[in-house]
Amino acid sequence: MQIDPTYSLHQIAGAPYLLPHGQGVADGKRGIRLNETGLFLWNALQKEPDEEAVLKAFYARYDAALEDHAQLKQDFEQFLNQLLAIGILKKEPAENKNQTDFSMRLGKLQLCIKAPFDAIPPEFLPFQSKQKKNADLTIELTAGVPVRFNLEKNENLSLLIQHSQLCVSEMQNYFLLEFPQAPQLSYALLKKDGSRAWVYHTPPYTKAFVCDFFHAVRILFLYTAQLHGLFAMHSASILYQNKAWLFSGHSGMGKSTHTNLWKKLYGVKILNGDLNLICIEDGSPLIYGMPWCGTSQISDADTHPLGGVILLGRSAGEECIPLSNEEQISLCSQRLISPAWTAELLQRNLDFTAELVQKISVCTLKCTKEESAARAAKLWVDKQIL
């Protein structure tokens, strides 16, 4: 159940009213006077916009016997219908029975994408799962544009990020995500508990649309993953001595160059060319495969133990430099791309990194892009394994 953010509760001569403000006034929306029951239900909906939860609270308020539940439920439904008729409440988008339920497994998380199959990015197919129930995150692709949110006039929306590729605003129970460079994606609503998201769009499902949707799903997934203790690091990875080793650095620093040098010199497997999903499970650091891999088009669907992180820096020579605990936490957390939309989310990233660096090896490799850089890195890695 979605609450129209242009409505707020006010008192007129001691009586409670739900009244429009800002864009709601400009659109000619009307208000409503609440009685005592309506006020209770409105306050309950503000705390938890879930019909079943509010109905249970309604029963508890009157300590209602089982035989009285039917009448209270009828009163509740009449109140909801009033608010729906006025437009104060809006039902969450109903499931589209014509859509495909595409399930995939990423690490320990199950995703369900409700969308026409033509809209499913082909990169997701290697991660497809037969499991259809108990999804940790359900994403529904919904054609059309519902309520138009106006940040300048809506005091219930708080702008967190404004960027050429992504804008994020915070609502009471949702995040609102906008994608300025994806013209067919109107916006997405993401529940703060990370369980469900709706991506509003305009068909048709062209190659450009599928690409934009692919990247939008990544942002939604990384938020939910973060809540479940999985964090993404901007890094390329190799498999060496049965462990994953990550090479991370700013764009242009040579992540792909270094992993390709290892493949050439030592025959290692490249796991992912751009992004790695990290988790600590039963005290052991792991990386999980993900379909997102930048322009490298190299990704791996398996799970591997994580050995360490090599942070790349430029130099005329080749040198692996040890780091203090503080430096490891600071530098590794900067390489995470898990959301830091709020102070709370940033702290999650820092707390995870502080735990991670206690369980892996981390160094800075000051180097060129020559074969000697791979040899210097291998010497350091071999010492960590011994």
Side-chain angles (χ1 to χ4, degrees):
M1 188 69 67
Q2 297 177 26
I3 298 172
D4 187 333
T6 67
Y7 277 89
S8 50
L9 181 65
H10 298 271
Q11 298 285 328
I12 299 179
Y17 282 78
L18 289 178
L19 300 174
H21 60 268
Q23 189 62 36
V25 175
D27 292 342
K29 295 178 181 178
R30 64 188 181 91
I32 183 175
R33 186 184 189 280
L34 301 178
N35 58 22
E36 181 183 351
T37 297
L39 180 61
F40 170 82
L41 292 173
W42 172 255
N43 288 331
L45 285 167
Q46 289 282 315
K47 295 177 182 177
E48 174 53 68
D50 178 82
E51 293 182 38
E52 290 300 321
V54 174
L55 188 57
K56 288 180 181 178
F58 194 29
Y59 295 156
R61 178 178 188 258
Y62 290 101
D63 194 20
L66 188 61
E67 59 267 22
D68 297 324
H69 283 195
Q71 182 59 51
L72 290 176
K73 183 177 182 181
Q74 183 178 344
D75 294 342
F76 175 57
E77 290 175 347
Q78 287 178 350
F79 176 71
L80 290 184
N81 288 335
Q82 272 189 297
L83 300 189
L84 287 166
I86 295 173
I88 297 174
L89 287 184
K90 295 182 182 295
K91 289 245 183 218
E92 288 179 342
E95 292 186 2
N96 187 336
K97 299 303 181 182
N98 295 322
Q99 291 184 323
T100 298
D101 285 3
F102 179 86
S103 294
M104 63 177 176
R105 188 82 179 176
L106 298 181
K108 59 182 180 180
L109 298 186
Q110 187 75 19
L111 272 71
C112 177
I113 300 178
K114 295 178 178 293
F117 191 78
D118 289 346
I120 300 298
E123 295 90 344
F124 290 167
L125 298 180
F127 297 84
Q128 188 170 6
S129 167
K130 294 182 179 180
Q131 182 177 333
K132 297 294 183 182
K133 297 180 179 180
N134 302 318
D136 298 288
L137 170 61
T138 300
I139 300 173
E140 184 167 352
L141 195 59
T142 304
V145 182
V147 180
R148 180 176 177 82
F149 295 94
N150 189 318
L151 295 179
E152 294 181 357
K153 296 183 178 181
N154 193 337
E155 64 186 30
N156 292 325
L157 274 174
S158 176
L159 182 63
L160 302 177
I161 294 175
Q162 189 167 26
H163 188 268
S164 61
Q165 296 182 342
L166 176 67
C167 297
V168 180
S169 301
E170 186 175 22
M171 305 166 67
Q172 183 175 7
N173 296 293
Y174 300 86
F175 289 107
L176 170 68
L177 286 74
E178 299 174 282
F179 312 95
Q181 295 187 8
Q184 287 181 261
L185 298 182
S186 302
Y187 58 79
L189 281 180
L190 171 63
K191 293 189 75 170
K192 284 188 175 180
D193 66 5
S195 66
R196 197 169 181 89
W198 296 265
V199 179
Y200 299 97
H201 72 289
T202 304
Y205 306 120
T206 62
K207 185 176 180 180
F209 173 89
V210 174
C211 180
D212 288 338
F213 182 53
F214 174 67
H215 292 295
V217 171
R218 187 192 77 174
I219 296 168
L220 300 170
F221 167 73
L222 289 183
Y223 174 80
T224 298
Q226 185 183 45
L227 299 184
H228 288 268
L230 292 84
F231 295 78
M233 179 175 286
H234 186 204
S235 56
S237 55
I238 60 168
L239 184 64
Y240 176 67
Q241 297 294 338
N242 297 316
K243 287 188 176 182
W245 299 87
L246 311 187
F247 292 80
S248 186
H250 297 291
S251 296
M253 196 60 69
K255 301 187 302 296
S256 297
T257 298
H258 283 275
T259 53
N260 284 323
L261 285 173
W262 275 72
K263 181 178 180 180
K264 174 186 174 181
L265 295 173
Y266 309 117
V268 302
K269 178 181 180 180
I270 299 176
L271 299 176
N272 192 297
D274 190 64
L275 199 62
N276 289 277
L277 188 64
I278 309 171
C279 179
I280 298 173
E281 194 166 319
D282 296 327
S284 299
L286 305 172
I287 70 161
Y288 296 120
M290 286 201 300
W292 299 282
C293 55
T295 58
S296 72
Q297 298 184 335
I298 300 173
S299 66
D300 178 84
D302 294 329
T303 302
H304 303 280
L306 175 59
V309 176
I310 299 172
L311 301 165
L312 299 174
R314 289 196 181 95
S315 174
E318 324 293 353
E319 182 183 10
C320 287
I321 302 173
L323 300 169
S324 68
N325 182 253
E326 179 184 342
E327 289 172 324
Q328 291 181 43
I329 296 170
S330 175
L331 293 173
C332 285
S333 65
Q334 291 175 38
R335 306 312 304 146
L336 294 183
I337 65 163
S338 296
W341 303 337
T342 66
E344 179 185 358
L345 295 179
L346 172 60
Q347 190 61 52
R348 284 179 182 268
N349 289 348
L350 292 171
D351 290 344
F352 172 76
T353 308
E355 182 181 4
L356 177 68
V357 299
Q358 300 299 318
K359 300 178 182 297
I360 63 171
S361 301
V362 181
C363 78
T364 290
L365 174 63
K366 297 290 187 179
C367 62
T368 64
K369 294 184 180 181
E370 304 301 323
E371 291 183 359
S372 54
R375 295 190 181 99
K378 183 176 180 295
L379 285 174
W380 178 83
V381 170
D382 287 340
K383 290 179 181 179
Q384 313 312 308
I385 295 174
L386 293 177

